[in-house]
Amino acid sequence: FFRQNQNIAITMAEKADVLVIGAGMAGLSAANRLIDDNLNTNLKVVVLEGRDRVGGRVQTATMGGGRQRVDVGGAWLQYPSKNPVRRYLHGVEQLETPTDSIALYDEDGNEFDGARISEIQAGMIRRAATCDEVVTPSDPALTLVDVMPMLQQDKIECSSDPEERLAAMLLRTTVENYMASSVEQLSGFVARYIGVGGD
């Protein structure tokens, strides 16, 4: 039930045995598992969602007057052989993403090779790890841009150093693609996974 139907949601929640908060992949998988595992009981499972849709970070938008569909959220499974969501994908077409065919270009339209991209990203992580602006993530309320202000879009665009601008943009894009969310919404603790902000 969605935020717009608060009265119905409250009524259903009061009668539920289990409340699942969030109708993203994790929430829907949990609710599905609870129902599957308790078919012979009278277990009442209610999913509460704050948005007006299900799917969480998985979302398909339309462009070009509705003619084109574009995935704007997570549309892939990381570590598919061990991912518990995989069992719910029976009948869904799955494609392997060929990461070696991704092309990146500089501001002048010149294509970067993989070694150059890795070199720029490694340099950005090294700079971020020693930068005075980087905050050690200790508060769960901090986002990744709170911890690493150099990833703010306006700071990237205003940078006078083209190499730094490129490195920050590549790092921001890589993190957002991998985590399926914007750096403004990601937890500051993500900085630890990319080698910044302590243990």
Side-chain angles (χ1 to χ4, degrees):
F1 291 90
F2 301 108
R3 185 169 45 209
Q4 290 86 340
N5 300 319
Q6 286 184 1
N7 292 336
I8 295 173
I10 290 169
T11 301
M12 293 299 293
E14 288 172 347
K15 297 177 181 177
D17 297 308
V18 179
L19 283 178
V20 176
I21 309 301
M25 286 295 246
L28 293 175
S29 296
N32 196 18
R33 177 76 182 266
L34 285 164
I35 292 167
D36 286 350
D37 289 352
N38 294 283
L39 289 176
N40 297 327
T41 67
N42 208 13
L43 187 73
K44 294 180 183 72
V45 178
V46 173
V47 178
L48 297 177
E49 171 57 52
R51 298 180 186 180
D52 61 354
R53 62 175 183 79
V54 299
R57 290 186 290 178
V58 177
Q59 181 181 6
T60 302
T62 57
M63 297 175 65
R67 293 189 313 267
Q68 300 293 328
R69 295 186 337 159
V70 179
D71 289 315
V72 294
W76 62 92
L77 290 182
Q78 293 169 328
Y79 313 110
S81 63
K82 297 179 181 178
N83 195 312
V85 175
R86 186 182 185 112
R87 71 183 215 169
Y88 298 106
L89 297 177
H90 300 294
V92 176
E93 182 182 5
Q94 299 174 46
L95 301 172
E96 187 171 329
T97 304
T99 55
D100 58 344
S101 66
I102 294 173
L104 295 175
Y105 298 85
D106 67 14
E107 294 171 340
D108 298 322
N110 302 311
E111 186 175 348
F112 285 113
D113 62 29
R116 178 73 175 121
I117 293 167
S118 297
E119 174 189 318
I120 292 169
Q121 288 175 325
M124 183 61 191
I125 291 171
R126 279 193 305 274
R127 275 187 290 232
T130 58
C131 179
D132 292 338
E133 282 188 317
V134 174
V135 177
T136 300
S138 56
D139 180 353
L142 293 176
T143 67
L144 189 55
V145 291
D146 294 328
V147 173
M148 298 177 67
M150 76 280 299
L151 294 181
Q152 293 174 5
Q153 189 67 37
D154 58 342
K155 284 198 172 198
I156 293 171
E157 291 172 2
C158 293
S159 173
S160 59
D161 181 349
E163 197 78 2
E164 188 172 313
R165 186 168 61 245
L166 176 63
M169 197 66 222
L170 280 175
L171 183 58
R172 178 185 168 108
T173 303
T174 300
V175 170
E176 289 182 332
N177 286 337
Y178 188 77
M179 296 292 184
S181 187
S182 72
V183 293
E184 287 84 9
Q185 294 178 331
L186 287 169
S187 165
F189 290 107
V190 169
R192 293 179 177 175
Y193 293 105
I194 56 176
V196 177
D199 301 328

mmCIF file of all heavy atoms in Angstrom, residues 34-42:
data_model
loop_
_atom_site.group_PDB
_atom_site.id
_atom_site.type_symbol
_atom_site.label_atom_id
_atom_site.label_comp_id
_atom_site.label_asym_id
_atom_site.label_seq_id
_atom_site.Cartn_x
_atom_site.Cartn_y
_atom_site.Cartn_z
ATOM 1 N N LEU A 34 8.091 -15.094 2.357
ATOM 2 C CA LEU A 34 7.220 -15.334 3.506
ATOM 3 C C LEU A 34 5.929 -16.035 3.086
ATOM 4 O O LEU A 34 5.471 -16.964 3.747
ATOM 5 C CB LEU A 34 6.890 -14.015 4.205
ATOM 6 C CG LEU A 34 7.995 -13.410 5.058
ATOM 7 C CD1 LEU A 34 7.691 -11.949 5.361
ATOM 8 C CD2 LEU A 34 8.160 -14.210 6.346
ATOM 9 N N ILE A 35 5.373 -15.587 1.983
ATOM 10 C CA ILE A 35 4.127 -16.197 1.498
ATOM 11 C C ILE A 35 4.380 -17.621 1.024
ATOM 12 O O ILE A 35 3.642 -18.549 1.365
ATOM 13 C CB ILE A 35 3.511 -15.324 0.382
ATOM 14 C CG1 ILE A 35 3.020 -14.001 0.983
ATOM 15 C CG2 ILE A 35 2.373 -16.061 -0.315
ATOM 16 C CD1 ILE A 35 2.671 -12.940 -0.029
ATOM 17 N N ASP A 36 5.450 -17.826 0.235
ATOM 18 C CA ASP A 36 5.786 -19.167 -0.269
ATOM 19 C C ASP A 36 6.026 -20.157 0.863
ATOM 20 O O ASP A 36 5.620 -21.309 0.794
ATOM 21 C CB ASP A 36 7.033 -19.121 -1.158
ATOM 22 C CG ASP A 36 6.765 -18.501 -2.520
ATOM 23 O OD1 ASP A 36 5.577 -18.284 -2.853
ATOM 24 O OD2 ASP A 36 7.746 -18.217 -3.240
ATOM 25 N N ASP A 37 6.718 -19.711 1.908
ATOM 26 C CA ASP A 37 7.077 -20.594 3.007
ATOM 27 C C ASP A 37 5.930 -20.840 3.984
ATOM 28 O O ASP A 37 6.045 -21.679 4.875
ATOM 29 C CB ASP A 37 8.274 -20.030 3.787
ATOM 30 C CG ASP A 37 9.568 -20.116 2.990
ATOM 31 O OD1 ASP A 37 9.574 -20.742 1.906
ATOM 32 O OD2 ASP A 37 10.578 -19.541 3.456
ATOM 33 N N ASN A 38 4.843 -20.100 3.834
ATOM 34 C CA ASN A 38 3.737 -20.221 4.784
ATOM 35 C C ASN A 38 2.393 -20.410 4.081
ATOM 36 O O ASN A 38 1.371 -19.904 4.541
ATOM 37 C CB ASN A 38 3.691 -18.982 5.682
ATOM 38 C CG ASN A 38 4.906 -18.875 6.572
ATOM 39 O OD1 ASN A 38 5.004 -19.578 7.562
ATOM 40 N ND2 ASN A 38 5.848 -18.029 6.194
ATOM 41 N N LEU A 39 2.410 -21.159 2.976
ATOM 42 C CA LEU A 39 1.174 -21.350 2.210
ATOM 43 C C LEU A 39 0.087 -22.056 3.013
ATOM 44 O O LEU A 39 -1.096 -21.827 2.794
ATOM 45 C CB LEU A 39 1.464 -22.142 0.928
ATOM 46 C CG LEU A 39 2.234 -21.389 -0.154
ATOM 47 C CD1 LEU A 39 2.544 -22.317 -1.315
ATOM 48 C CD2 LEU A 39 1.444 -20.181 -0.645
ATOM 49 N N ASN A 40 0.479 -22.924 3.920
ATOM 50 C CA ASN A 40 -0.497 -23.706 4.688
ATOM 51 C C ASN A 40 -0.911 -23.032 5.983
ATOM 52 O O ASN A 40 -1.627 -23.622 6.789
ATOM 53 C CB ASN A 40 0.075 -25.102 4.979
ATOM 54 C CG ASN A 40 0.309 -25.878 3.700
ATOM 55 O OD1 ASN A 40 -0.427 -25.720 2.733
ATOM 56 N ND2 ASN A 40 1.352 -26.694 3.687
ATOM 57 N N THR A 41 -0.444 -21.827 6.207
ATOM 58 C CA THR A 41 -0.834 -21.104 7.421
ATOM 59 C C THR A 41 -1.689 -19.911 7.017
ATOM 60 O O THR A 41 -1.933 -19.654 5.843
ATOM 61 C CB THR A 41 0.396 -20.596 8.190
ATOM 62 O OG1 THR A 41 1.048 -19.592 7.410
ATOM 63 C CG2 THR A 41 1.361 -21.733 8.492
ATOM 64 N N ASN A 42 -2.109 -19.183 7.985
ATOM 65 C CA ASN A 42 -2.935 -18.008 7.726
ATOM 66 C C ASN A 42 -2.118 -16.727 7.924
ATOM 67 O O ASN A 42 -2.659 -15.720 8.370
ATOM 68 C CB ASN A 42 -4.148 -18.033 8.667
ATOM 69 C CG ASN A 42 -5.341 -17.323 8.051
ATOM 70 O OD1 ASN A 42 -5.346 -17.029 6.857
ATOM 71 N ND2 ASN A 42 -6.339 -17.044 8.867
#
